[in-house]
Amino acid sequence: MFNLSVDIDINSGFCFGVVYAIEMAEDILNEEGHLYCLGDIVHNDEEVKRLEKMGLRIINHEELKSLRDAKVLIRAHGEPPSTYQLAIQNNLELIDASCPVVLKLQNRIKNSFDKEENIYIYGKHGHAEVVGLLGQTNDQAVVFQDIEELNLEELPSEITLYSQTTKSTDKFYEINQMLQENGISVKTNDTICRQVSNRDKELREFAKKFDVIVFVSGTKSSNGKVLHKICADQNPRTHFVSSIGDVKSEWFGKDERVGICGATSTPMWLMEEIKGHLEKL
């Protein structure tokens, strides 16, 4: 027996956008027993499996084209205008669970596009949220993951800068400063969700308090990769797991203190399950 003392980070787990989407899905599944969802409702396989047992069916954009007369959930990441147009053509009822923070950002980008501004978006190529943002500009905005992707000498003298909502605030302002230092006039729009970005600071403090950190996240979660690195930088004995099956007893010593934390897409029930497992080791 290891006799581990285990604590879960109270700030970890679903952000309000994900809570909102899952509650909408559960309400319909409880009433009707089936619902389509465009893309993974959340980047966590264990949570997706739980909802699939309730009757959720994950479909992709290709499958959406041939779907008719059905209810389809739009997840928290949001969608481009083309998805809404397709829904009208195919008589689909969209249950729109787009995160309010994402919707506000989409509107701001659309306004900038209507004013014919040069729009640059700091975000992950191909990420669902970014695809929705690009759609507001007829795919004309420039998306970059790193400032090194941009040729600063060829950039317009004036640009409008936005960010995917889950990016690091520090990195965003670093990029903003570099652009200005290179003589570019930047109209900066800080559109990063503070519920997500504040987790950086909270996790730094949390990771230092324990002998071992078990970071729980789905492998598809961008936010999970970023937050896991933050924990690992503070505590080298940080281990990434997606389910109980990934936990290894050789990570722990007798009477050690273990902290469990996770991404904005990690369900609390999964962290509780892992806590119970560790307490039995």
Side-chain angles (χ1 to χ4, degrees):
M1 293 285 284
F2 284 100
N3 190 34
L4 299 173
S5 161
V6 188
D7 287 301
I8 295 175
D9 171 32
I10 54 164
N11 297 305
S12 282
F14 293 153
C15 60
F16 75 87
V18 172
V19 170
Y20 177 63
I22 286 173
E23 284 178 354
M24 284 181 91
E26 285 176 333
D27 287 348
I28 293 167
L29 291 168
N30 285 329
E31 275 176 39
E32 302 177 21
H34 60 89
L35 174 67
Y36 292 100
C37 179
L38 187 55
D40 284 345
I41 189 166
V42 60
H43 287 149
N44 187 280
D45 291 344
E46 299 300 307
E47 180 66 1
V48 169
K49 279 181 212 161
R50 183 184 76 84
L51 291 165
E52 281 178 335
K53 281 179 190 159
M54 291 177 71
L56 189 73
R57 167 119 189 264
I58 307 289
I59 57 168
N60 58 31
H61 285 80
E62 208 48 51
E63 290 168 305
L64 184 74
K65 288 176 189 170
S66 55
L67 198 63
R68 301 270 184 291
D69 314 314
K71 276 187 184 173
V72 181
L73 183 90
I74 301 290
R75 61 200 172 154
H77 298 98
E79 281 292 319
S82 54
T83 299
Y84 295 86
Q85 287 155 8
L86 182 64
I88 293 165
Q89 288 166 24
N90 288 6
N91 194 34
L92 299 171
E93 183 186 339
L94 293 183
I95 312 299
D96 200 339
S98 300
C99 171
V101 178
V102 173
L103 285 179
K104 187 179 173 188
L105 170 55
Q106 286 186 351
N107 289 332
R108 286 175 70 175
I109 288 180
K110 175 78 169 70
N111 287 337
S112 290
F113 180 67
D114 291 343
K115 290 178 194 165
E116 299 185 351
E117 295 174 4
N118 296 310
I119 300 166
Y120 283 72
I121 301 169
Y122 170 48
K124 184 182 176 186
H125 295 291
H127 188 281
E129 182 192 319
V130 173
V131 171
L133 300 178
L134 260 179
Q136 310 306 317
T137 71
N138 290 339
D139 293 346
Q140 287 177 34
V142 176
V143 174
F144 66 99
Q145 284 177 201
D146 198 295
I147 195 157
E148 286 164 11
E149 292 174 33
L150 304 176
N151 184 334
L152 298 179
E153 288 171 14
E154 291 181 6
L155 250 54
S157 58
E158 286 184 21
I159 69 166
T160 299
L161 182 65
Y162 286 97
S163 171
Q164 181 181 335
T165 59
T166 51
K167 283 292 181 189
S168 151
T169 37
D170 292 349
K171 193 80 197 291
F172 178 71
Y173 280 103
E174 209 177 280
I175 287 165
N176 184 56
Q177 192 181 337
M178 283 176 78
L179 289 167
Q180 290 181 343
E181 282 169 1
N182 278 272
I184 296 155
S185 171
V186 186
K187 188 174 170 187
T188 308
N189 297 272
D190 179 350
T191 50
I192 293 166
C193 175
R194 286 306 182 264
Q195 198 189 359
V196 174
S197 67
N198 286 346
R199 296 226 174 143
D200 290 24
K201 302 173 191 80
E202 290 159 357
L203 274 185
R204 279 190 187 97
E205 292 310 307
F206 183 80
K208 290 175 191 169
K209 293 177 188 170
F210 299 90
D211 299 308
V212 187
I213 292 291
V214 176
F215 187 88
V216 188
S217 171
T219 52
K220 294 179 191 169
S221 169
S222 308
N223 166 258
K225 291 185 182 79
V226 171
L227 294 181
H228 169 252
K229 185 180 183 312
I230 284 164
C231 286
D233 286 348
Q234 299 301 322
N235 187 332
R237 292 180 69 195
T238 294
H239 302 280
F240 187 103
V241 305
S242 295
S243 66
I244 283 180
D246 296 336
V247 176
K248 294 184 170 60
S249 57
E250 58 260 32
W251 295 341
F252 311 101
K254 198 159 170 40
D255 300 326
E256 285 194 314
R257 295 192 65 215
V258 181
I260 297 176
C261 50
T264 50
S265 52
T266 303
M268 187 53 76
W269 65 260
L270 182 56
M271 289 187 282
E272 295 275 8
E273 213 173 72
I274 288 169
K275 179 179 192 274
H277 174 73
L278 292 176
E279 285 171 342
K280 287 177 196 154
L281 286 178

